[in-house]
mmCIF file of all heavy atoms in Angstrom:
data_model
loop_
_atom_site.group_PDB
_atom_site.id
_atom_site.type_symbol
_atom_site.label_atom_id
_atom_site.label_comp_id
_atom_site.label_asym_id
_atom_site.label_seq_id
_atom_site.Cartn_x
_atom_site.Cartn_y
_atom_site.Cartn_z
ATOM 1 N N SER A 536 79.390 111.106 -32.604
ATOM 2 C CA SER A 536 79.028 109.971 -31.733
ATOM 3 C C SER A 536 79.430 110.189 -30.278
ATOM 4 O O SER A 536 78.657 109.856 -29.366
ATOM 5 C CB SER A 536 79.655 108.685 -32.270
ATOM 6 O OG SER A 536 79.107 108.348 -33.522
ATOM 7 N N PRO A 537 80.630 110.724 -29.989
ATOM 8 C CA PRO A 537 80.987 110.940 -28.564
ATOM 9 C C PRO A 537 80.015 111.873 -27.859
ATOM 10 O O PRO A 537 79.680 111.660 -26.684
ATOM 11 C CB PRO A 537 82.386 111.557 -28.647
ATOM 12 C CG PRO A 537 82.932 111.106 -29.964
ATOM 13 C CD PRO A 537 81.754 111.073 -30.876
ATOM 14 N N GLU A 538 79.549 112.884 -28.579
ATOM 15 C CA GLU A 538 78.591 113.817 -27.974
ATOM 16 C C GLU A 538 77.262 113.121 -27.696
ATOM 17 O O GLU A 538 76.605 113.407 -26.677
ATOM 18 C CB GLU A 538 78.378 115.020 -28.892
ATOM 19 C CG GLU A 538 79.514 116.030 -28.899
ATOM 20 C CD GLU A 538 80.705 115.615 -29.741
ATOM 21 O OE1 GLU A 538 80.614 114.597 -30.467
ATOM 22 O OE2 GLU A 538 81.742 116.295 -29.686
ATOM 23 N N ARG A 539 76.864 112.231 -28.570
ATOM 24 C CA ARG A 539 75.601 111.499 -28.366
ATOM 25 C C ARG A 539 75.675 110.672 -27.089
ATOM 26 O O ARG A 539 74.691 110.559 -26.345
ATOM 27 C CB ARG A 539 75.315 110.602 -29.566
ATOM 28 C CG ARG A 539 75.055 111.350 -30.859
ATOM 29 C CD ARG A 539 74.839 110.406 -32.037
ATOM 30 N NE ARG A 539 73.630 109.606 -31.853
ATOM 31 C CZ ARG A 539 72.413 109.992 -32.215
ATOM 32 N NH1 ARG A 539 72.225 111.169 -32.768
ATOM 33 N NH2 ARG A 539 71.366 109.211 -32.031
ATOM 34 N N VAL A 540 76.837 110.101 -26.810
ATOM 35 C CA VAL A 540 77.014 109.327 -25.577
ATOM 36 C C VAL A 540 76.910 110.231 -24.357
ATOM 37 O O VAL A 540 76.316 109.863 -23.337
ATOM 38 C CB VAL A 540 78.367 108.593 -25.595
ATOM 39 C CG1 VAL A 540 78.624 107.906 -24.259
ATOM 40 C CG2 VAL A 540 78.404 107.578 -26.731
ATOM 41 N N ARG A 541 77.475 111.439 -24.472
ATOM 42 C CA ARG A 541 77.428 112.369 -23.338
ATOM 43 C C ARG A 541 75.994 112.809 -23.029
ATOM 44 O O ARG A 541 75.679 113.148 -21.886
ATOM 45 C CB ARG A 541 78.295 113.599 -23.634
ATOM 46 C CG ARG A 541 79.792 113.297 -23.750
ATOM 47 C CD ARG A 541 80.397 112.791 -22.453
ATOM 48 N NE ARG A 541 81.813 112.546 -22.603
ATOM 49 C CZ ARG A 541 82.775 113.393 -22.276
ATOM 50 N NH1 ARG A 541 82.464 114.576 -21.770
ATOM 51 N NH2 ARG A 541 84.045 113.067 -22.444
ATOM 52 N N VAL A 542 75.142 112.837 -24.042
ATOM 53 C CA VAL A 542 73.737 113.182 -23.795
ATOM 54 C C VAL A 542 73.155 112.224 -22.764
ATOM 55 O O VAL A 542 72.491 112.639 -21.801
ATOM 56 C CB VAL A 542 72.918 113.124 -25.107
ATOM 57 C CG1 VAL A 542 71.425 113.286 -24.807
ATOM 58 C CG2 VAL A 542 73.363 114.209 -26.074
ATOM 59 N N GLU A 543 73.402 110.953 -22.958
ATOM 60 C CA GLU A 543 72.890 109.936 -22.036
ATOM 61 C C GLU A 543 73.433 110.163 -20.630
ATOM 62 O O GLU A 543 72.712 110.040 -19.639
ATOM 63 C CB GLU A 543 73.296 108.550 -22.542
ATOM 64 C CG GLU A 543 72.533 107.412 -21.914
ATOM 65 C CD GLU A 543 71.344 106.970 -22.742
ATOM 66 O OE1 GLU A 543 71.439 106.951 -23.977
ATOM 67 O OE2 GLU A 543 70.310 106.652 -22.123
ATOM 68 N N ARG A 544 74.708 110.507 -20.542
ATOM 69 C CA ARG A 544 75.334 110.706 -19.228
ATOM 70 C C ARG A 544 74.697 111.887 -18.490
ATOM 71 O O ARG A 544 74.400 111.806 -17.295
ATOM 72 C CB ARG A 544 76.836 110.950 -19.421
ATOM 73 C CG ARG A 544 77.603 111.098 -18.119
ATOM 74 C CD ARG A 544 79.025 111.564 -18.353
ATOM 75 N NE ARG A 544 79.789 110.626 -19.156
ATOM 76 C CZ ARG A 544 81.074 110.796 -19.447
ATOM 77 N NH1 ARG A 544 81.717 111.886 -19.016
ATOM 78 N NH2 ARG A 544 81.713 109.906 -20.180
ATOM 79 N N VAL A 545 74.499 112.977 -19.214
ATOM 80 C CA VAL A 545 73.896 114.164 -18.608
ATOM 81 C C VAL A 545 72.477 113.867 -18.127
ATOM 82 O O VAL A 545 72.082 114.227 -17.009
ATOM 83 C CB VAL A 545 73.878 115.337 -19.620
ATOM 84 C CG1 VAL A 545 72.989 116.476 -19.111
ATOM 85 C CG2 VAL A 545 75.291 115.834 -19.870
ATOM 86 N N ILE A 546 71.714 113.184 -18.965
ATOM 87 C CA ILE A 546 70.323 112.911 -18.623
ATOM 88 C C ILE A 546 70.213 111.989 -17.415
ATOM 89 O O ILE A 546 69.319 112.147 -16.575
ATOM 90 C CB ILE A 546 69.583 112.335 -19.844
ATOM 91 C CG1 ILE A 546 69.435 113.438 -20.913
ATOM 92 C CG2 ILE A 546 68.220 111.790 -19.468
ATOM 93 C CD1 ILE A 546 68.906 112.972 -22.224
ATOM 94 N N LYS A 547 71.124 111.053 -17.285
ATOM 95 C CA LYS A 547 71.105 110.163 -16.113
ATOM 96 C C LYS A 547 71.306 110.954 -14.824
ATOM 97 O O LYS A 547 70.676 110.671 -13.804
ATOM 98 C CB LYS A 547 72.175 109.087 -16.259
ATOM 99 C CG LYS A 547 71.795 107.964 -17.215
ATOM 100 C CD LYS A 547 72.890 106.901 -17.294
ATOM 101 C CE LYS A 547 72.475 105.772 -18.231
ATOM 102 N NZ LYS A 547 73.545 104.749 -18.366
ATOM 103 N N ARG A 548 72.189 111.949 -14.877
ATOM 104 C CA ARG A 548 72.415 112.767 -13.680
ATOM 105 C C ARG A 548 71.159 113.554 -13.327
ATOM 106 O O ARG A 548 70.768 113.642 -12.153
ATOM 107 C CB ARG A 548 73.593 113.728 -13.907
ATOM 108 C CG ARG A 548 74.947 113.062 -13.879
ATOM 109 C CD ARG A 548 76.059 114.076 -13.646
ATOM 110 N NE ARG A 548 76.217 114.981 -14.762
ATOM 111 C CZ ARG A 548 77.065 114.786 -15.777
ATOM 112 N NH1 ARG A 548 77.805 113.684 -15.798
ATOM 113 N NH2 ARG A 548 77.178 115.657 -16.746
ATOM 114 N N ILE A 549 70.541 114.150 -14.341
ATOM 115 C CA ILE A 549 69.340 114.942 -14.073
ATOM 116 C C ILE A 549 68.177 114.054 -13.652
ATOM 117 O O ILE A 549 67.416 114.396 -12.748
ATOM 118 C CB ILE A 549 68.974 115.779 -15.327
ATOM 119 C CG1 ILE A 549 70.099 116.771 -15.635
ATOM 120 C CG2 ILE A 549 67.658 116.510 -15.128
ATOM 121 C CD1 ILE A 549 69.888 117.579 -16.895
ATOM 122 N N GLN A 550 68.063 112.902 -14.301
ATOM 123 C CA GLN A 550 66.992 111.959 -13.968
ATOM 124 C C GLN A 550 67.025 111.584 -12.494
ATOM 125 O O GLN A 550 65.988 111.466 -11.828
ATOM 126 C CB GLN A 550 67.129 110.709 -14.838
ATOM 127 C CG GLN A 550 66.313 109.505 -14.383
ATOM 128 C CD GLN A 550 64.850 109.596 -14.765
ATOM 129 O OE1 GLN A 550 64.492 109.293 -15.882
ATOM 130 N NE2 GLN A 550 64.011 110.012 -13.827
ATOM 131 N N SER A 551 68.234 111.384 -11.946
ATOM 132 C CA SER A 551 68.369 110.978 -10.538
ATOM 133 C C SER A 551 67.806 112.017 -9.579
ATOM 134 O O SER A 551 67.369 111.689 -8.479
ATOM 135 C CB SER A 551 69.839 110.709 -10.213
ATOM 136 O OG SER A 551 70.605 111.910 -10.292
ATOM 137 N N GLU A 552 67.805 113.286 -10.008
ATOM 138 C CA GLU A 552 67.298 114.346 -9.141
ATOM 139 C C GLU A 552 65.779 114.470 -9.211
ATOM 140 O O GLU A 552 65.163 115.098 -8.363
ATOM 141 C CB GLU A 552 67.942 115.680 -9.541
ATOM 142 C CG GLU A 552 69.459 115.670 -9.398
ATOM 143 C CD GLU A 552 70.087 116.933 -9.932
ATOM 144 O OE1 GLU A 552 69.342 117.931 -10.100
ATOM 145 O OE2 GLU A 552 71.309 116.943 -10.186
ATOM 146 N N TYR A 553 65.175 113.901 -10.248
ATOM 147 C CA TYR A 553 63.724 113.957 -10.417
ATOM 148 C C TYR A 553 63.116 112.554 -10.360
ATOM 149 O O TYR A 553 62.044 112.314 -10.897
ATOM 150 C CB TYR A 553 63.369 114.599 -11.761
ATOM 151 C CG TYR A 553 63.664 116.075 -11.844
ATOM 152 C CD1 TYR A 553 64.928 116.518 -12.224
ATOM 153 C CD2 TYR A 553 62.701 117.024 -11.540
ATOM 154 C CE1 TYR A 553 65.218 117.875 -12.310
ATOM 155 C CE2 TYR A 553 62.975 118.380 -11.626
ATOM 156 C CZ TYR A 553 64.233 118.801 -12.012
ATOM 157 O OH TYR A 553 64.511 120.145 -12.089
ATOM 158 N N SER A 554 63.806 111.658 -9.688
ATOM 159 C CA SER A 554 63.413 110.244 -9.731
ATOM 160 C C SER A 554 62.019 109.986 -9.182
ATOM 161 O O SER A 554 61.360 109.015 -9.568
ATOM 162 C CB SER A 554 64.433 109.399 -8.951
ATOM 163 O OG SER A 554 64.558 109.874 -7.619
ATOM 164 N N SER A 555 61.544 110.843 -8.296
ATOM 165 C CA SER A 555 60.244 110.589 -7.678
ATOM 166 C C SER A 555 59.067 110.966 -8.565
ATOM 167 O O SER A 555 57.950 110.522 -8.330
ATOM 168 C CB SER A 555 60.142 111.356 -6.350
ATOM 169 O OG SER A 555 60.259 112.755 -6.587
ATOM 170 N N GLY A 556 59.312 111.790 -9.604
ATOM 171 C CA GLY A 556 58.155 112.236 -10.371
ATOM 172 C C GLY A 556 58.337 112.296 -11.867
ATOM 173 O O GLY A 556 57.391 112.575 -12.595
ATOM 174 N N VAL A 557 59.557 112.031 -12.357
ATOM 175 C CA VAL A 557 59.832 112.192 -13.780
ATOM 176 C C VAL A 557 60.598 110.979 -14.306
ATOM 177 O O VAL A 557 61.581 110.550 -13.712
ATOM 178 C CB VAL A 557 60.656 113.470 -14.050
ATOM 179 C CG1 VAL A 557 60.945 113.609 -15.539
ATOM 180 C CG2 VAL A 557 59.924 114.702 -13.535
ATOM 181 N N GLU A 558 60.116 110.448 -15.418
ATOM 182 C CA GLU A 558 60.828 109.380 -16.109
ATOM 183 C C GLU A 558 61.268 109.914 -17.473
ATOM 184 O O GLU A 558 60.463 110.434 -18.236
ATOM 185 C CB GLU A 558 59.920 108.164 -16.303
ATOM 186 C CG GLU A 558 60.582 107.043 -17.091
ATOM 187 C CD GLU A 558 59.618 105.921 -17.423
ATOM 188 O OE1 GLU A 558 58.453 105.969 -16.957
ATOM 189 O OE2 GLU A 558 60.017 105.010 -18.169
ATOM 190 N N VAL A 559 62.572 109.799 -17.754
ATOM 191 C CA VAL A 559 63.117 110.346 -18.993
ATOM 192 C C VAL A 559 63.469 109.199 -19.940
ATOM 193 O O VAL A 559 64.182 108.262 -19.575
ATOM 194 C CB VAL A 559 64.378 111.198 -18.734
ATOM 195 C CG1 VAL A 559 64.905 111.777 -20.048
ATOM 196 C CG2 VAL A 559 64.072 112.319 -17.750
ATOM 197 N N GLU A 560 62.964 109.285 -21.154
ATOM 198 C CA GLU A 560 63.296 108.318 -22.196
ATOM 199 C C GLU A 560 64.139 109.012 -23.256
ATOM 200 O O GLU A 560 63.738 110.029 -23.824
ATOM 201 C CB GLU A 560 62.024 107.761 -22.849
ATOM 202 C CG GLU A 560 62.320 106.790 -23.987
ATOM 203 C CD GLU A 560 61.082 106.392 -24.763
ATOM 204 O OE1 GLU A 560 59.976 106.888 -24.428
ATOM 205 O OE2 GLU A 560 61.207 105.606 -25.721
ATOM 206 N N VAL A 561 65.329 108.447 -23.525
ATOM 207 C CA VAL A 561 66.214 109.000 -24.543
ATOM 208 C C VAL A 561 66.081 108.166 -25.812
ATOM 209 O O VAL A 561 66.226 106.942 -25.781
ATOM 210 C CB VAL A 561 67.682 109.000 -24.065
ATOM 211 C CG1 VAL A 561 68.578 109.634 -25.131
ATOM 212 C CG2 VAL A 561 67.815 109.768 -22.758
ATOM 213 N N ILE A 562 65.821 108.837 -26.919
ATOM 214 C CA ILE A 562 65.650 108.147 -28.207
ATOM 215 C C ILE A 562 66.889 108.403 -29.052
ATOM 216 O O ILE A 562 67.131 109.530 -29.510
ATOM 217 C CB ILE A 562 64.386 108.644 -28.928
ATOM 218 C CG1 ILE A 562 63.164 108.472 -28.032
ATOM 219 C CG2 ILE A 562 64.194 107.915 -30.258
ATOM 220 C CD1 ILE A 562 61.935 109.207 -28.513
ATOM 221 N N ARG A 563 67.705 107.364 -29.251
ATOM 222 C CA ARG A 563 68.915 107.436 -30.075
ATOM 223 C C ARG A 563 68.848 106.330 -31.109
ATOM 224 O O ARG A 563 68.672 105.158 -30.771
ATOM 225 C CB ARG A 563 70.168 107.277 -29.213
ATOM 226 C CG ARG A 563 70.457 108.451 -28.294
ATOM 227 C CD ARG A 563 71.529 108.146 -27.263
ATOM 228 N NE ARG A 563 72.731 107.566 -27.866
ATOM 229 C CZ ARG A 563 73.706 106.995 -27.157
ATOM 230 N NH1 ARG A 563 73.594 106.906 -25.840
ATOM 231 N NH2 ARG A 563 74.764 106.492 -27.765
ATOM 232 N N TRP A 564 69.033 106.696 -32.378
ATOM 233 C CA TRP A 564 68.832 105.738 -33.452
ATOM 234 C C TRP A 564 69.777 104.539 -33.353
ATOM 235 O O TRP A 564 69.425 103.425 -33.724
ATOM 236 C CB TRP A 564 68.974 106.408 -34.817
ATOM 237 C CG TRP A 564 70.273 107.139 -35.055
ATOM 238 C CD1 TRP A 564 70.475 108.476 -34.937
ATOM 239 C CD2 TRP A 564 71.532 106.593 -35.457
ATOM 240 N NE1 TRP A 564 71.774 108.820 -35.218
ATOM 241 C CE2 TRP A 564 72.451 107.670 -35.569
ATOM 242 C CE3 TRP A 564 71.992 105.307 -35.749
ATOM 243 C CZ2 TRP A 564 73.779 107.502 -35.928
ATOM 244 C CZ3 TRP A 564 73.324 105.137 -36.117
ATOM 245 C CH2 TRP A 564 74.200 106.214 -36.208
ATOM 246 N N GLU A 565 70.981 104.725 -32.807
ATOM 247 C CA GLU A 565 71.939 103.623 -32.782
ATOM 248 C C GLU A 565 71.608 102.563 -31.733
ATOM 249 O O GLU A 565 72.211 101.493 -31.719
ATOM 250 C CB GLU A 565 73.370 104.157 -32.557
ATOM 251 C CG GLU A 565 73.638 104.743 -31.175
ATOM 252 C CD GLU A 565 73.375 106.228 -31.109
ATOM 253 O OE1 GLU A 565 72.392 106.680 -31.728
ATOM 254 O OE2 GLU A 565 74.133 106.942 -30.437
ATOM 255 N N GLU A 566 70.625 102.868 -30.861
ATOM 256 C CA GLU A 566 70.262 101.905 -29.822
ATOM 257 C C GLU A 566 68.997 101.128 -30.167
ATOM 258 O O GLU A 566 68.539 100.310 -29.379
ATOM 259 C CB GLU A 566 70.095 102.633 -28.482
ATOM 260 C CG GLU A 566 71.398 103.231 -27.961
ATOM 261 C CD GLU A 566 71.244 103.772 -26.560
ATOM 262 O OE1 GLU A 566 70.094 103.953 -26.109
ATOM 263 O OE2 GLU A 566 72.274 104.024 -25.902
ATOM 264 N N GLU A 567 68.392 101.416 -31.322
ATOM 265 C CA GLU A 567 67.184 100.713 -31.740
ATOM 266 C C GLU A 567 67.541 99.499 -32.604
ATOM 267 O O GLU A 567 68.662 99.387 -33.111
ATOM 268 C CB GLU A 567 66.294 101.672 -32.548
ATOM 269 C CG GLU A 567 65.912 102.953 -31.814
ATOM 270 C CD GLU A 567 65.024 102.691 -30.613
ATOM 271 O OE1 GLU A 567 64.212 101.740 -30.679
ATOM 272 O OE2 GLU A 567 65.128 103.433 -29.619
ATOM 273 N N TYR A 568 66.591 98.583 -32.758
ATOM 274 C CA TYR A 568 66.773 97.500 -33.728
ATOM 275 C C TYR A 568 65.915 97.814 -34.941
ATOM 276 O O TYR A 568 64.908 98.510 -34.858
ATOM 277 C CB TYR A 568 66.394 96.142 -33.122
ATOM 278 C CG TYR A 568 64.909 95.921 -32.963
ATOM 279 C CD1 TYR A 568 64.150 95.355 -33.981
ATOM 280 C CD2 TYR A 568 64.249 96.289 -31.783
ATOM 281 C CE1 TYR A 568 62.777 95.164 -33.846
ATOM 282 C CE2 TYR A 568 62.883 96.106 -31.638
ATOM 283 C CZ TYR A 568 62.165 95.534 -32.673
ATOM 284 O OH TYR A 568 60.811 95.349 -32.542
ATOM 285 N N TYR A 569 66.319 97.300 -36.109
ATOM 286 C CA TYR A 569 65.641 97.653 -37.343
ATOM 287 C C TYR A 569 65.324 96.395 -38.152
ATOM 288 O O TYR A 569 66.179 95.523 -38.325
ATOM 289 C CB TYR A 569 66.512 98.604 -38.171
ATOM 290 C CG TYR A 569 66.807 99.893 -37.444
ATOM 291 C CD1 TYR A 569 67.987 100.042 -36.724
ATOM 292 C CD2 TYR A 569 65.889 100.934 -37.447
ATOM 293 C CE1 TYR A 569 68.250 101.208 -36.018
ATOM 294 C CE2 TYR A 569 66.137 102.112 -36.755
ATOM 295 C CZ TYR A 569 67.324 102.240 -36.039
ATOM 296 O OH TYR A 569 67.567 103.406 -35.348
ATOM 297 N N SER A 570 64.094 96.351 -38.646
ATOM 298 C CA SER A 570 63.647 95.234 -39.474
ATOM 299 C C SER A 570 63.977 95.515 -40.938
ATOM 300 O O SER A 570 64.019 96.676 -41.375
ATOM 301 C CB SER A 570 62.141 95.028 -39.305
ATOM 302 O OG SER A 570 61.651 94.129 -40.271
ATOM 303 N N ALA A 571 64.174 94.447 -41.711
ATOM 304 C CA ALA A 571 64.464 94.582 -43.131
ATOM 305 C C ALA A 571 63.212 94.849 -43.961
ATOM 306 O O ALA A 571 63.278 94.974 -45.184
ATOM 307 C CB ALA A 571 65.162 93.328 -43.643
#
């Protein structure tokens, strides 16, 4: 889990450098909602 959090941190830094032309979406299962 700690490594999964760091993924988001790294991507935010890189995203800021490509803000004018690239949008990055991170898909992590723990951030989704789930229906029964």
